[in-house]
Amino acid sequence: MAYMSQEGYDKLVAELARLEGTERKKASEAIAEARDKGDLSENSEYDAAKEAQAHLEDKINQIKRTLAEAKIVDTSRLSADSVQILTTVEFTNLANKAKMKYTIVSESEANLREGKISIQTPIAQGLLNKKVGDVVEITIPRGKLSLRIENITIG
């Protein structure tokens, strides 16, 4: 089951519509154009177009699976008492005093540029259910992080 916000769900629905509409049509047109160029056994353009279509269909199926398993979280029922999905966490890296702020989201909504990290990441997993003032030790690929939670807000 994939917990996500209504906004994240709506974005996935829009992406699915775009892929099934315009992108699927473009892929079919590329295959038809390559097919018109003759012998398919030696047509690298045709092979590339078929491969691109297969990747597109995989992506469409993946989004459909995510949407089928989605559970939309009612943010009005969330509490900022502890870190959970769809909460924004401000914390300090105790080693270098760097302050960071991330919103914990589903895998499909993660976007580091927007400050959204997947609930599946080691940092999010280490922060889950912790409270303001807690210091947590988190093991990441590059070693251990020591983080102090400064603030928790919803969304």
Side-chain angles (χ1 to χ4, degrees), residues 112-128:
L112 202 52
R113 279 187 236 116
E114 293 177 8
K116 297 177 178 179
I117 62 170
S118 165
I119 195 162
Q120 304 296 326
T121 62
I123 291 176
Q125 287 292 303
L127 293 170
L128 282 178

Side-chain angles (χ1 to χ4, degrees), residues 93-112:
N93 180 333
L94 297 177
N96 61 11
K97 304 299 183 224
K99 295 197 182 292
M100 294 174 262
K101 179 179 177 179
Y102 292 114
T103 301
I104 312 290
V105 296
S106 68
E107 188 77 33
S108 62
E109 293 178 90
N111 184 332
L112 202 52

Side-chain angles (χ1 to χ4, degrees), residues 81-102:
D81 292 343
S82 64
V83 178
Q84 53 194 304
I85 193 160
L86 300 181
T87 56
T88 299
V89 189
E90 295 176 52
F91 53 89
T92 304
N93 180 333
L94 297 177
N96 61 11
K97 304 299 183 224
K99 295 197 182 292
M100 294 174 262
K101 179 179 177 179
Y102 292 114

Side-chain angles (χ1 to χ4, degrees), residues 3-69:
Y3 291 95
M4 64 178 59
S5 66
Q6 183 66 52
E7 175 190 3
Y9 184 87
D10 293 344
K11 280 183 181 178
L12 274 181
V13 168
E15 175 71 358
L16 179 62
R18 183 184 71 78
L19 293 176
E20 288 183 324
T22 57
E23 295 304 315
R24 197 179 254 166
K25 185 178 181 206
K26 284 180 191 175
S28 293
E29 289 169 355
I31 290 170
E33 187 178 314
R35 191 181 302 124
D36 290 343
K37 293 186 178 173
D39 183 10
L40 296 182
S41 65
E42 295 179 19
N43 188 334
S44 62
E45 237 180 273
Y46 177 78
D47 292 339
K50 288 293 282 183
E51 189 173 323
Q53 183 186 42
H55 286 298
L56 175 65
E57 292 303 322
D58 283 347
K59 189 169 184 176
I60 287 170
N61 289 330
Q62 181 182 8
I63 291 173
K64 283 181 175 180
R65 274 192 306 277
T66 300
L67 290 172
E69 297 171 356

